[in-house]
Amino acid sequence: EAFIQLTTRNPHTKYRLFLLGDGPLQPEIERRLAAAGLTDHVSLTGAKPPAVVARFMQAADLLAVPSNNEGVPNVILEAFACGLPVVATRVGGIPEVLRENHLGRLCNPGEVEGLRKAIESVLSAPGQPERITTFAAAFTWENTARAYGRLLGLPDLPSEHRE
């Protein structure tokens, strides 16, 4: 719905939407896109292996994660590792990692207009892939384990486990 609004409000801009994955909502998505006359602007790729998903991310202008319920989706951290800004909903742990404007934008779940505005905001801002990848470098397995250890009150990792 946000993509439909985006293309309707900006008819002279040639947007492309790639939906990777599949699921029970696909027939409804296809129906809505056809009704809006946007099937030529959207590619429903189906499920793809991780290496192919990474190539899509490297070619994209942004990743949209309009979830109603999440923890901290790995796909957001993977996008950051590719220097890709993210537009996502303010749910679960997403605001903990998407906390600066150069990383993307947050919107409220279920607010199509807010999602559209967030997408427009990211697309109109100058990209900062180097800053995004620098931020992503903090999300190593070791750093994550250390952070969980601190939360649980465990001692720090022994030095032989450090890089």
Side-chain angles (χ1 to χ4, degrees):
E1 293 301 320
F3 184 75
I4 291 169
Q5 280 188 13
L6 185 69
T7 56
T8 301
R9 291 177 57 92
N10 304 290
H12 300 295
T13 303
K14 301 296 182 204
Y15 295 106
R16 289 283 303 152
L17 174 64
F18 292 87
L19 292 170
L20 279 65
D22 52 26
L25 296 177
Q26 187 163 335
E28 177 63 15
I29 291 169
E30 290 171 345
R31 185 192 66 72
R32 288 182 181 185
L33 291 169
L38 294 174
T39 53
D40 290 345
H41 297 270
V42 179
S43 295
L44 302 171
T45 68
K48 298 290 181 195
V52 174
V53 172
R55 285 197 295 275
F56 272 96
M57 284 190 190
Q58 291 164 346
D61 294 317
L62 68 85
L63 170 73
V65 184
S67 301
N68 290 323
N69 186 16
E70 287 286 356
V72 177
N74 280 335
V75 70
I76 289 177
L77 302 179
E78 293 163 351
F80 289 163
C82 292
L84 183 63
V86 174
V87 171
T89 43
R90 196 175 281 108
V91 297
I94 294 174
E96 294 175 34
V97 294
L98 207 170
R99 57 183 181 247
E100 298 177 32
N101 279 344
H102 72 276
L103 300 171
R105 299 289 186 281
L106 290 168
C107 60
N108 293 322
E111 292 183 5
V112 174
E113 175 91 359
L115 178 60
R116 180 200 47 84
K117 286 180 179 179
I119 291 169
E120 283 179 330
S121 176
V122 169
L123 291 176
S124 67
Q128 299 185 43
E130 297 85 14
R131 285 186 71 195
I132 295 171
T133 55
T134 299
F135 176 79
F139 293 96
T140 64
W141 286 113
E142 183 179 274
N143 288 346
T144 302
R146 189 175 290 117
Y148 277 118
R150 281 192 302 271
L151 285 172
L152 297 171
L154 301 173
D156 200 8
L157 292 172
S159 60
E160 66 266 13
H161 294 291
R162 294 185 184 170
E163 295 180 66

